[in-house]
Amino acid sequence: MAVTVIAKVVVKKEFIEPVKAELLKLIDPTRRERGCMEYRLHQDNEDPGVFIFYENWESMASLEQHMITDHFRNYVSAIEGKLVKKVVNKMTGI
């Protein structure tokens, strides 16, 4: 069953540009992953420290595989200590 992910990342003001660079690095390799149907990044127009990923995956298994890829692990390490918060919602269509 397909899974939709809405991931909201709120970045500390002093780290907006470096974190944005890390987020952008995720896009191409993630879009090439097996099971990735859609992977889009958005930045809030009024608060540039707020980023939203809108993702669609073929299955929970494909999402779980994404989370153990080298590019995702590198991103997690690179942004450590630079976020105000991160909220990830994993949803199924009804």
Side-chain angles (χ1 to χ4, degrees):
M1 183 172 282
V3 177
T4 297
V5 175
I6 306 294
K8 181 178 182 179
V9 177
V10 182
V11 182
K12 293 177 182 175
K13 299 297 180 203
E14 65 270 25
F15 297 117
I16 292 172
E17 289 307 314
V19 170
K20 181 178 180 178
E22 294 299 325
L23 293 168
L24 290 169
K25 286 182 196 177
L26 285 172
I27 296 172
D28 287 338
T30 299
R31 286 181 177 165
R32 289 191 299 269
E33 288 178 45
R34 173 181 240 146
C36 179
M37 300 176 348
E38 184 173 18
Y39 195 77
R40 295 187 296 147
L41 177 62
H42 302 81
Q43 186 175 21
D44 190 278
N45 291 331
E46 293 182 20
D47 184 349
V50 176
F51 296 89
I52 301 282
F53 267 113
Y54 178 80
E55 312 170 24
N56 282 298
W57 297 89
E58 288 180 358
S59 66
M60 187 60 76
S62 53
L63 173 59
E64 290 169 355
Q65 281 299 122
H66 164 65
M67 294 169 59
I68 62 171
T69 60
D70 287 341
H71 54 271
F72 186 80
R73 287 179 171 185
N74 291 340
Y75 151 76
V76 170
S77 294
I79 65 161
E80 188 173 338
K82 298 176 180 166
L83 304 184
V84 174
K85 71 177 177 177
K86 180 178 179 180
V87 177
V88 178
N89 297 99
K90 299 172 189 169
M91 300 177 285
T92 303
I94 53 172

